[in-house]
């Protein structure tokens, strides 16, 4: 089964940038769509972005469209989330997850994904 480890979170000022990474091991990473979700304090986990198994399809939440970019490097078994023009409302724990279905073009529902990484904290100060 795929194991996922996120990194790259931290504290940044509003308007700044961060790049999150999610390294996969123990499975055939290149066959699965990948997603990023986030959970802010006191809120439910929400969809952020997804990318299909080949990298040819991406979908974004409206709240991050035009600011965030999801990408993947199948040779490195890693998926990335480049976050630009960060806002205080982007503060959350960010999770990556693998789609449950092989050769998925990328889902948007939390139920479509598993396993999950442990999360990485992103804090945006105003």
């Amino acid at each position: 089964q795929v194991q996922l480890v996120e990194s790259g979170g931290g504290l940044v000022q509003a308007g700044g940038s961060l790049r999150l990474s999610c390294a996969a091991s123990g499975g055939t990473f290149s066959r699965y769509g990948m997603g990023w979700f986030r959970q802010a304090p006191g809120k439910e986990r929400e969809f952020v972005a997804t990318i299909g198994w080949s990298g040819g399809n991406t979908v974004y939440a409206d709240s991050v469209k035009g600011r965030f970019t999801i990408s993947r490097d199948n040779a490195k078994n890693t998926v990335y989330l480049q976050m630009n023009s960060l806002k205080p409302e982007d503060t959350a724990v960010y999770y990556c997850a693998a789609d449950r279905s092989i050769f998925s073009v990328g889902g948007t529902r939390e139920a479509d994904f598993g396993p999950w990484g442990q999360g990485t904290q992103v804090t945006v100060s105003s």
Side-chain angles (χ1 to χ4, degrees):
Q1 188 176 4
V2 173
Q3 294 181 321
L4 304 171
V5 178
E6 301 98 333
S7 61
L11 173 64
V12 64
Q13 289 188 333
S17 299
L18 283 174
R19 188 175 82 153
L20 306 184
S21 299
C22 174
S25 62
T28 312
F29 172 81
S30 62
R31 298 182 182 181
Y32 292 90
M34 298 294 295
W36 284 97
F37 290 74
R38 66 187 182 186
Q39 187 168 21
K43 295 187 177 181
E44 294 186 350
R45 189 155 55 185
E46 64 176 3
F47 167 75
V48 175
T50 189
I51 187 167
W53 68 277
S54 67
N57 182 62
T58 57
V59 180
Y60 297 91
D62 287 343
S63 58
V64 307
K65 202 173 294 184
R67 300 187 299 121
F68 290 11
T69 303
I70 189 171
S71 62
R72 65 189 297 159
D73 185 338
N74 285 345
K76 296 183 178 180
N77 287 352
T78 302
V79 63
Y80 304 97
L81 186 69
Q82 177 66 45
M83 305 186 296
N84 298 329
S85 302
L86 282 161
K87 304 175 181 179
E89 51 263 44
D90 294 318
T91 294
V93 177
Y94 283 71
Y95 299 89
C96 71
D99 200 294
R100 296 184 187 278
S101 301
I102 196 168
F103 298 129
S104 168
V105 297
T108 61
R109 301 180 308 153
E110 190 172 338
D112 293 333
F113 290 86
W116 295 78
Q118 84 289 348
T120 186
Q121 177 71 47
V122 171
T123 303
V124 185
S125 63
S126 56

